Amino acid sequence: MENEAYENEQEREREDMTGFEKFQQKIKDGILTYLPGEYRDAAVEIVHVPGNNDQEQTAMTIKREGQEMAARVFLDEYYARFPDWVSDETILQTVAGDYLENESKREWAENMRESAKDFNTIKENIRVEVVNRDMNKESLKNCPKKEIEGTDLLAAFRILFYEQGRVCANALVTNELMETWDMDVETLYETALDNTAVQMPAQICSLMSVYFDGEESLEPGEVFSEEQEMYVLTNPQKSKGAAAMLYPGLLQSIAEATQSSFYILPSSIHEVLLMKEGNGMGAKELQSMVTDINQAQVPPQEVLSNQVYFYDGKEQKISMALSPEETRDLVGNREMATAGYEGMETEGMEEEMER
């Protein structure tokens, strides 16, 4: 009877699991079968790691007896990669192979982390990235950061580790590392920004060309040649390209070359969109559009902001396109409109059922 009750409880727990939770359990239960014999008695753990925008990532570690540190693989990536029809064997073989590869590089990674204590050794590998201030309180609480004046954004700092010319690992700069370097945030910011601007230069393309004609890079004077068009600001790698808005003199060069002030729409952490002032859309319309797209199309960990910014060419500065009060009103009106629409839809359904 006790065994039957236990089995029934286990079955109920499995039924309550989400698809991703079942996927995690499947990997945890089956992974050791696909690893070498020395892993037979290893301890498999599911751990949660904070990522950008304080979004948790789910990772797996496998510690052999006496092992203090272990490699990890992120299970979110495999869950997104493999459709339901892929066999468990294929998935487990893939995860096991990747885990063994990561484990083989663990000593190298530890050596890289040790080398990071010498600033002169790794200073050219430090990059700046732009993230949301309010969405990253937990993930950046032990890291240096610089507020971007006039916005709700922060500049954060990351070290890239190379092997044979290829990026194989990365790590956020921590306050502890800053103390080791005996460095202030402004100096770090200047170093990281210079590196990023040189090694990941700005790329500006019209949004239409991105969709239809390839990605022909434009000079500052060619931006806004079509007034109704939006322009994408990123980098050739299309990775963390929103940082290009910080590159020294870039926004002002666009303003001067086009004699324009313009809106900056945060598409994601990888890119922003530029739109000329007076193109027929106001700040409220643009901010409403950004919010909708963030909710429907941008992965939570890649959202940059729900705000829209305005670059004033005459004042040479960036600011929020809407005040905090206007933003609150906009959000409140949107919530009321959504609630009203849902209420009307429900009433209609109830009337239809009664008929």
Side-chain angles (χ1 to χ4, degrees):
M1 292 289 290
E2 289 182 1
N3 286 341
E4 184 179 348
Y6 175 76
E7 289 174 1
N8 289 339
E9 183 180 351
Q10 292 292 97
E11 182 62 30
R12 283 194 297 271
E13 289 179 359
R14 283 193 290 271
E15 289 176 355
D16 291 340
M17 285 182 175
T18 65
F20 183 46
E21 287 170 339
K22 291 177 182 177
F23 181 83
Q24 295 173 50
Q25 194 65 48
K26 176 171 61 180
I27 300 298
K28 184 178 181 180
D29 292 343
I31 193 66
L32 295 183
T33 304
Y34 294 85
L35 292 170
E38 60 264 31
Y39 285 88
R40 189 176 309 279
D41 298 320
V44 182
E45 289 186 69
I46 303 296
V47 297
H48 300 283
V49 183
N52 188 52
N53 291 342
D54 290 344
Q55 295 291 311
E56 275 194 344
Q57 295 177 285
T58 303
M60 179 185 66
T61 64
I62 306 172
K63 287 186 181 179
R64 290 168 287 173
E65 187 175 352
Q67 187 178 10
E68 292 185 8
M69 300 291 292
R72 62 191 182 192
V73 289
F74 289 94
L75 300 183
D76 316 68
E77 300 170 9
Y78 298 99
Y79 185 66
R81 186 197 312 178
F82 291 110
D84 293 338
W85 52 261
V86 175
S87 69
D88 291 355
E89 180 180 12
T90 297
I91 296 172
L92 288 164
Q93 283 179 341
T94 303
V95 175
D98 290 349
Y99 187 86
L100 291 173
E101 183 178 356
N102 289 353
E103 182 67 15
S104 71
K105 293 179 178 178
R106 187 168 53 82
E107 184 177 349
W108 170 85
E110 290 174 359
N111 290 338
M112 289 297 99
R113 280 193 288 269
E114 188 65 27
S115 72
K117 294 179 181 179
D118 180 0
F119 177 74
N120 289 324
T121 300
I122 52 84
K123 67 179 181 180
E124 293 183 358
N125 296 354
I126 304 173
R127 304 286 184 274
V128 68
E129 54 190 56
V130 173
V131 299
N132 189 275
R133 179 188 61 218
D134 298 326
M135 296 179 188
N136 287 275
K137 291 180 178 178
E138 184 65 26
S139 60
L140 294 179
K141 68 179 180 181
N142 296 318
C143 299
K145 51 262 183 188
K146 175 181 170 64
E147 292 206 11
I148 300 173
E149 188 176 356
T151 75
D152 59 340
L153 304 177
L154 294 174
F157 310 97
R158 191 174 296 273
I159 306 171
L160 306 186
F161 297 107
Y162 291 84
E163 186 178 40
Q164 297 180 348
R166 187 169 64 92
V167 177
C168 291
N170 67 81
L172 282 167
V173 175
T174 62
N175 291 334
E176 182 180 0
L177 199 52
M178 288 283 284
E179 290 179 10
T180 301
W181 293 342
D182 190 23
M183 181 172 293
D184 61 87
V185 173
E186 284 299 327
T187 302
L188 177 64
Y189 177 73
E190 291 175 8
T191 300
L193 190 58
D194 286 346
N195 289 342
T196 311
V198 170
Q199 298 172 27
M200 304 177 77
Q203 182 182 73
I204 309 174
C205 306
S206 75
L207 189 59
M208 293 294 287
S209 75
V210 171
Y211 283 128
F212 298 109
D213 304 322
E215 298 180 6
E216 181 182 354
S217 188
L218 303 175
E219 296 297 323
E222 298 175 293
V223 180
F224 308 134
S225 55
E226 298 289 338
E227 289 196 2
Q228 300 300 317
E229 178 67 280
M230 290 188 183
Y231 293 81
V232 181
L233 172 60
T234 182
N235 55 44
Q237 295 85 353
K238 310 296 186 296
S239 176
K240 311 293 178 64
M245 65 190 288
L246 303 182
Y247 291 178
L250 177 63
L251 299 183
Q252 186 59 24
S253 69
I254 296 172
E256 291 179 357
T258 62
Q259 294 295 296
S260 304
S261 295
F262 49 89
Y263 293 106
I264 302 172
L265 285 63
S267 178
S268 75
I269 59 173
H270 303 301
E271 63 184 23
V272 297
L273 303 178
L274 310 179
M275 177 175 280
K276 186 177 181 180
E277 180 187 21
N279 71 338
M281 293 185 72
K284 289 186 178 181
E285 292 175 274
L286 294 173
Q287 191 155 316
S288 181
M289 180 178 69
V290 167
T291 303
D292 286 341
I293 292 174
N294 281 342
Q295 291 176 349
Q297 300 181 27
V298 184
Q301 67 273 18
E302 295 184 5
V303 170
L304 182 56
S305 178
N306 287 320
Q307 298 287 346
V308 168
Y309 314 110
F310 182 74
Y311 188 80
D312 189 317
K314 294 180 180 178
E315 297 291 330
Q316 301 187 25
K317 69 177 185 179
I318 189 172
S319 62
M320 299 277 203
L322 294 180
S323 69
E325 293 75 20
E326 289 175 313
T327 296
R328 282 195 295 270
D329 290 343
L330 178 64
V331 171
N333 290 336
R334 285 167 53 80
E335 290 175 348
M336 288 176 62
T338 302
Y341 172 77
E342 291 174 348
M344 290 170 60
E345 184 178 44
T346 302
E347 290 174 5
M349 289 175 63
E350 290 172 350
E351 292 172 3
E352 184 67 25
M353 289 175 68
E354 288 177 0
R355 288 197 293 270

